[in-house]
Amino acid sequence: MLELQAEARTSSTLDREIEAKLKLLNKPAVKSIKSEDGDIIDCVNIYKQPAFDHPALKNHTIKPIPSFLLDNEPSSVRGTRTPNASSEVFQLWQKSGSCPKDTVPIRRIQKKDLLRASSLERFGRKPKAYSTNKKNLNSTNLSVIDDFVNLQNRSEVHLSTFGFNFIGASANINIWNPLVEKKGDFTTAQIYLKASNGDFFESIEAGWMVHPELYGDFNSRLFAAWTRDSYHTTGCFDLTCKGFVQVASSTALGATVGPYSSPFNQQYEINIGIFLDDDGNWWLNIKNGTVIGYWPAEILGNLKHSAVIVQWGGQVYSDKMKNNPPHTSTQMGSGDSASSRFGFACYISNVRIKDYSKSLKYPKYVTTHTDEPYCYNLFNDEEHGKDPVFYFGGPGRNPPYCP
């Protein structure tokens, strides 16, 4: 961590590097809002946001919201399986104020955030992804051969569909607040859209996660992420690097989202949708109508044309997993087994894809996978005439099954 790095250099040098990084990350605020959870939300002029530091976006003009998102097309075409869930979720900072028109809310990065990071250079980025089973890839390392790739230091549980022309995906994701064992671990519930798989995948992602190293607490937070090269040199979470263009003045990426679901009590869920427009930009919206912003075509590779893989599920990152005991006790989902089902296990419902038929529909073919079935498991609950509900998660370390 940076505290240890400070021993190898003068504190004044480290302070200068941190101040320079903070100046790069934080843009001048028109207004600032102090949230109850300790966050500071800066309302930044929409054209001063970090995206416009990207060389490819220097002359970028913010795109109008696509008409198909404004039409707020319904995401459910069959009977619901979660009648007792509430979508009345909010972000904690919204209780303390709102941002003016033509500004976007951005979570301020503070010195303490950078001091928690493993390095200044990789602040806000997902750890690099390396697959440990190359047999799943063909000779180009780009095409999908199997339905999963085993990634180092990551345990994944997901429902997947494969194809060539996905131009959108959505789902309702049940919100919980799982335990994270240590600062370097994180846990997510999310949607991925990918071009290729393995060591060289391109991905855009969104959902909720608990990430104490990045955010400094154990709250569940709304996040978005992207990469063109398996997180090696491109992309990041939220707006911690240049790339994602935000248009919403009401929602902040990286901010606490809730309320949380709990056993025997009300269940809460948030609708997440990611859709491609005609110009190659991928739009992120929540709650079936709140448009957050978009990943512009200029920063994308093959994804600017379509996605070939869509995944819904969870991921735990830790250096204590996959034959490196003791296994992390960082939880996924609710922390309960998928077999516990509604009210106890985390679920994803109203799973939808969009292809060039332009309609939202349940995928024709799906497959499921868990890296560590004794630590984190799944159950795709199917009932005739109703949407399947995908349950997933688990406690992590759970001797003797997950030692």
Side-chain angles (χ1 to χ4, degrees):
M1 298 302 162
L2 289 182
E3 292 96 330
L4 298 178
Q5 293 181 24
E7 296 176 6
R9 64 177 88 172
T10 66
S11 59
S12 60
T13 300
L14 180 59
D15 284 343
R16 285 196 298 271
E17 292 177 1
I18 288 174
E19 289 305 316
K21 185 74 170 180
L22 290 173
K23 186 175 181 180
L24 183 67
L25 290 167
N26 295 318
K27 303 304 179 183
V30 173
K31 174 183 177 181
S32 294
I33 300 167
K34 182 69 179 292
S35 175
E36 291 177 10
D37 58 5
D39 281 356
I40 299 173
I41 303 298
D42 288 328
C43 304
V44 175
N45 181 289
I46 194 168
Y47 273 103
K48 302 290 185 182
Q49 63 181 293
F52 293 99
D53 290 339
H54 196 292
L57 300 175
K58 288 295 184 184
N59 299 312
H60 183 84
T61 300
I62 291 175
K63 306 297 182 183
I65 297 173
S67 58
F68 65 82
L69 287 179
L70 292 172
D71 291 342
N72 192 19
E73 47 186 323
S75 64
S76 182
V77 295
R78 294 193 283 179
T80 180
R81 297 291 307 282
T82 55
N84 298 317
S86 171
S87 60
E88 296 301 313
V89 299
F90 61 88
Q91 291 193 301
L92 193 59
W93 74 271
Q94 295 166 339
K95 295 170 63 178
S96 303
S98 60
C99 283
K101 184 181 177 182
D102 296 326
T103 69
V104 293
I106 302 177
R107 179 181 177 271
R108 184 186 300 180
I109 307 304
Q110 301 180 59
K111 182 176 181 178
K112 61 184 179 182
D113 297 322
L114 297 184
L115 287 172
R116 286 191 307 272
S118 57
S119 75
L120 288 179
E121 292 73 22
R122 291 200 60 82
F123 174 77
R125 293 186 176 182
K126 266 195 173 184
K128 299 175 184 179
Y130 299 95
S131 67
T132 58
N133 53 340
K134 303 278 179 122
K135 64 182 178 64
N136 288 333
L137 305 176
N138 70 4
S139 58
T140 67
N141 271 353
L142 290 176
S143 298
V144 178
I145 300 300
D146 207 342
D147 63 353
F148 76 97
V149 173
N150 193 17
L151 296 176
Q152 199 172 41
N153 295 339
R154 289 165 168 84
S155 195
E156 294 191 339
V157 177
H158 48 69
L159 177 78
S160 302
T161 188
F162 299 84
F164 300 98
N165 291 308
F166 297 123
I167 58 172
S170 64
N172 297 338
I173 304 179
N174 189 203
I175 302 175
W176 290 79
N177 186 228
L179 169 73
V180 171
E181 179 184 350
K182 59 176 185 167
K183 185 172 64 174
D185 292 3
F186 64 77
T187 182
T188 77
Q190 63 178 95
I191 300 176
Y192 307 76
L193 289 100
K194 293 181 176 180
S196 75
N197 219 356
D199 285 348
F200 302 99
F201 66 82
E202 182 178 3
S203 179
I204 50 178
E205 312 166 20
W208 61 259
M209 73 173 174
V210 182
H211 193 336
E213 181 175 285
L214 179 59
Y215 298 119
D217 60 26
F218 293 87
N219 295 343
S220 296
R221 293 169 175 267
L222 178 70
F223 84 92
W226 68 280
T227 182
R228 282 186 62 170
D229 59 356
S230 306
Y231 320 114
H232 284 234
T233 62
T234 61
C236 62
F237 289 113
D238 310 329
L239 302 183
T240 56
C241 70
K242 45 207 174 190
F244 185 86
V245 177
Q246 180 149 341
V247 299
S249 61
S250 59
T251 305
L253 293 174
T256 300
V257 63
Y260 306 141
S261 304
S262 60
F264 301 103
N265 287 308
Q266 178 69 57
Q267 299 299 294
Y268 294 92
E269 60 185 31
I270 185 168
N271 178 268
I272 302 285
I274 304 174
F275 298 97
L276 185 69
D277 68 16
D278 292 337
D279 298 318
N281 310 295
W282 283 93
W283 290 80
L284 171 63
N285 73 317
I286 64 171
K287 301 184 181 181
N288 285 313
T290 300
V291 179
I292 308 298
Y294 59 94
W295 291 275
E298 292 94 326
I299 69 169
L300 302 174
N302 291 331
L303 269 177
K304 71 179 67 172
H305 306 296
S306 66
V308 298
I309 306 166
V310 184
Q311 296 175 326
W312 301 261
Q315 181 186 90
V316 167
Y317 176 86
S318 177
D319 59 5
K320 291 294 183 181
M321 60 175 52
K322 296 181 178 177
N323 302 316
N324 185 22
H327 195 281
T328 180
S329 59
T330 292
Q331 299 173 343
M332 181 190 294
S334 70
D336 208 342
S337 169
S339 60
S340 300
R341 304 196 195 184
F342 185 81
F344 300 93
C346 187
Y347 66 82
I348 297 180
S349 66
N350 268 7
V351 167
R352 294 288 181 270
I353 56 94
K354 187 176 185 180
D355 56 22
Y356 281 105
S357 70
K358 300 296 179 73
S359 62
L360 280 170
K361 53 194 174 185
Y362 191 85
K364 187 174 182 180
Y365 302 107
V366 296
T367 183
T368 59
H369 170 74
T370 174
D371 285 335
E372 299 178 296
Y374 295 105
C375 307
Y376 310 108
N377 57 22
L378 61 86
F379 175 61
N380 199 29
D381 187 11
E382 299 179 81
E383 183 177 321
H384 180 70
K386 294 186 176 181
D387 275 342
V389 177
F390 181 65
Y391 292 97
F392 67 98
R397 187 167 188 259
N398 182 29
Y401 308 106
C402 181

